[in-house]
Amino acid sequence: MRGPSILIVEDIQYQSEALTNRARNAGFGTVMCAQRIAKAKEAWEANGGFDAVILDLRLDNDDESDGYSLLRWMRQHSATPIRVFIRSGYLRSTLPLESVALQRFAV
């Protein structure tokens, strides 16, 4: 029996690799990574969704959109609640603003 699936959306290579290794060691059967929003959407569609997502809200390499737009997109393309773990180097400095914004995505 395969473990649950997880999508890691992280633009910093070494962090993406570390998260991938931890996810595999934790028993996730399918681990996919994306460094850009467009690639995350492609992976989502190719896999038919994921059991969990680790998401960097602010992808420095992605001028097209941010983690918030991906959260909205995933909600529209998922028949079940999504387990999303938020990562962001900027979260601590803007916590009140970020936490209020994230409440809109709670399922």
Side-chain angles (χ1 to χ4, degrees), residues 51-65:
D51 296 310
V53 177
I54 297 176
L55 174 62
D56 181 354
L57 279 181
R58 305 209 183 195
L59 301 173
D60 293 334
N61 70 356
D62 204 328
D63 295 331
E64 298 172 19
S65 54

Side-chain angles (χ1 to χ4, degrees), residues 39-53:
K39 293 294 182 186
K41 290 177 181 179
E42 288 175 18
W44 183 277
E45 290 175 339
N47 195 63
F50 290 88
D51 296 310
V53 177

Side-chain angles (χ1 to χ4, degrees), residues 3 27-28 34 48 55 58 65 74-75 80 83 86-87 95:
F28 283 91
L55 174 62
R58 305 209 183 195
S65 54
M74 287 188 302
R75 278 189 75 188
T80 60
R83 293 168 192 88
I86 301 295
R87 292 177 42 85
L95 186 57

Side-chain angles (χ1 to χ4, degrees), residues 19 31 36 44 46 60 76 79 88-89 98 104 106-107:
L19 289 167
V31 180
R36 301 183 68 82
W44 183 277
D60 293 334
Q76 294 170 352
S88 178
E98 300 283 358
R104 296 180 301 167
V107 178

Side-chain angles (χ1 to χ4, degrees), residues 12-24:
I12 299 173
Q13 184 69 29
Y14 75 89
Q15 290 182 3
S16 177
E17 291 171 1
L19 289 167
T20 297
N21 290 335
R22 285 183 169 219
R24 286 192 177 121

Side-chain angles (χ1 to χ4, degrees), residues 65-83:
S65 54
D66 58 17
Y68 294 111
S69 65
L70 182 59
L71 282 170
R72 283 189 293 273
W73 185 90
M74 287 188 302
R75 278 189 75 188
Q76 294 170 352
H77 291 84
S78 179
T80 60
I82 307 163
R83 293 168 192 88

Side-chain angles (χ1 to χ4, degrees), residues 81-95:
I82 307 163
R83 293 168 192 88
V84 179
F85 302 91
I86 301 295
R87 292 177 42 85
S88 178
Y90 302 105
L91 193 58
R92 184 172 293 152
S93 65
T94 59
L95 186 57

